[in-house]
Amino acid sequence: MPMKVLFVSSEVFPLIKTGGLADVSGSLPTALQGLGVDIRILMPGYTAVINQLKDLQLIATVHQLPHIGTAELLLGTIEHTQVKVMVIKAKSLYEREGGPYADTNGQEWQDNPIRFGVLSKVAAILASDHSPISDWQPGIVHCNDWQTGLAPAYMKLVDQSKAKSIISLHNMAFQGSYPPHWVTTLGLPSAGFSIEGYEYHGQLSFLKAGIFYADAISTVSPRYAKEIQTAAFGFGLEGLLTKRGDEIKGILNGIETEEWNPETDQHLIKNYSSTKLAGKKQVKKALQEKLGLNIDANAPLLGVVSRLTYQKGLDMLLPHLQKLIDSGCQFALLGGGESALETAFQSLAAANPGRISVTIGYNEPLSHQIMAGCDMFIMPSRFEPCGLNQLYGLAYGTPPIVNATGGLADSVVDSNIAHIENKTANGFVMVEASAEGLMACIMRALDMFHHAKKTWRQIQKNGMSQNLSWDNSAKEYLALYQKLVS
Ligand code: ADP
Ligand code: GLC
């Protein structure tokens, strides 16, 4: 009998996406299904999700949910991967204009504790012997981030589920902490509201609940598994994480190679590969044209696709960007987030027509075109649990320039002499996490780009020929599941 896994997530590509969690939740279940796992995704029925899944069918009504009482459970299939999705239909919670976590003005939804409490509770019920579904009982509940953190707590303390739980930590910066009255509203036992439970500085912490009660913990890169056990990266939970340190497994994310592949990418005017790099030049030209940049094959084009937040460290680029432009570089940014950062980049763009392009907003096709059309990808994150963009940069022959943290450190091999010689060099790693450190690293890359073209091509090829797919990492998750149920 194949192992049954319930994969619980608050965002899943291509149904709804704000960042890398969606990419992982769209692609990891596909890879696991390929390994013979009987996997189903469980997610909220946002309007966008209900509209896209064409074959949705009502399979059950779930009772005893906090605040709303009941919700319908629909079953559908993601067309291009054939992965099954169970969607929680609760109109009052999920069907509204705006994003999965915030309204159109970026204000967090006030009822997020209920919205994601219900998601967690449904997972726990489906894994219990009072599940309304009789023909599909998961042996594993795979939770992701704080939005699903209460599931292991419900499973252990309330629903007495026999299934094992695992929580994957994609980002410790988001913890879902709410005032204590939510404990009762969400039907959680007050006994669990303690240091040995889900209490954190007087608040109910969804993420702490997950870390405390899950049977296993994973992080999205091996380096991040170690980092979060320190005060600098644990966001206050390093103590608990250190206690469970031996049980934390770091597994590097893979990429969806159907979606992110320069040889087949539908968003590019020309496809290319590591042996036929000429197409990349045409993509660069088309990108320059599209963004109103001067058409110039020789100008190094630096790219960014990112949330504009403290995590991503792009403020470190601001002090030196003008110097880079004056030295002949071009710069293309796609992103959105903190308004001070948006404005700072927009002002630089206004001052440098034809040289800097800044697009604020979310744009899937443009993210592919920047990844492919640029010569280098800049990602100086202060912390990065895994990071997918640097992996896309590697796949697209766009060497990433990164800070030495988390998944960036685990995936980017600096182009120093030793690594160039043994053909492992695939990007550039900052020595120091500062504006100066970033500038020094970019200068090193530019020097090689201009003066060592053959080496540059080798660096591109080293990245492009790596196996960045889920092949290996999905097997590691499967091994983790098998260990849990054995
Ligand atoms: P994080 O999840 O922390 O934002 P990742 O590197 O793991 O960082 O994943 C980010 C994902 O979101 C990538 O798929 C990236 O292409 C995408 N992305 C980020 N910002 C935008 C944007 N403005 N438009 C389109 N895609 C974006
Ligand atoms: C989070 C992290 C990012 C990671 C992604 C998917 O959004 O910030 O580093 O790649 O989750 O795991």
Side-chain angles (χ1 to χ4, degrees), residues 17 19-20 23 305 307 312 334-335 361-363 367 387-389 392:
K17 165 168 167 179
D23 289 359
V305 178
R307 292 187 287 116
K312 302 295 176 181
L334 167 64
Y362 187 86
N363 186 330
S367 72
L388 292 168
N389 276 321
Y392 302 149

Side-chain angles (χ1 to χ4, degrees), residues 237-373:
L237 291 173
E238 58 276 6
L240 173 59
L241 288 161
T242 307
K243 253 195 211 159
R244 300 203 64 184
D246 292 343
E247 304 163 76
I248 306 176
K249 173 94 182 136
I251 303 175
L252 194 71
N253 286 337
I255 68 174
E256 169 64 88
T257 44
E258 301 266 300
E259 192 61 33
W260 290 95
N261 181 349
E263 291 183 53
T264 53
D265 195 323
Q266 304 281 324
H267 301 298
L268 310 183
I269 79 152
K270 183 85 190 162
N271 290 113
Y272 62 92
S273 67
S274 65
T275 49
K276 284 193 185 137
L277 267 170
K280 188 169 165 73
K281 292 204 176 98
Q282 281 168 260
V283 179
K284 176 174 176 179
K285 183 163 179 264
L287 181 67
Q288 286 173 323
E289 234 160 49
K290 178 172 185 163
L291 296 178
L293 295 169
N294 303 333
I295 311 290
D296 182 349
N298 296 321
L301 177 49
L302 317 186
V304 166
V305 178
S306 185
R307 292 187 287 116
L308 296 177
T309 63
Y310 177 80
Q311 173 187 346
K312 302 295 176 181
L314 287 159
D315 49 291
M316 292 188 242
L317 185 58
L318 285 168
H320 297 297
L321 188 52
Q322 188 62 54
K323 258 182 268 166
L324 288 166
I325 299 303
D326 294 343
S327 76
C329 290
Q330 295 186 351
F331 178 65
L333 176 143
L334 167 64
E338 288 167 18
S339 58
L341 281 170
E342 291 182 358
T343 314
F345 280 111
Q346 279 172 319
S347 314
L348 277 161
N352 293 278
R355 320 289 295 275
I356 297 184
S357 153
V358 169
T359 310
I360 301 299
Y362 187 86
N363 186 330
E364 194 69 32
L366 184 58
S367 72
H368 287 245
Q369 289 151 6
I370 290 184
M371 203 50 86

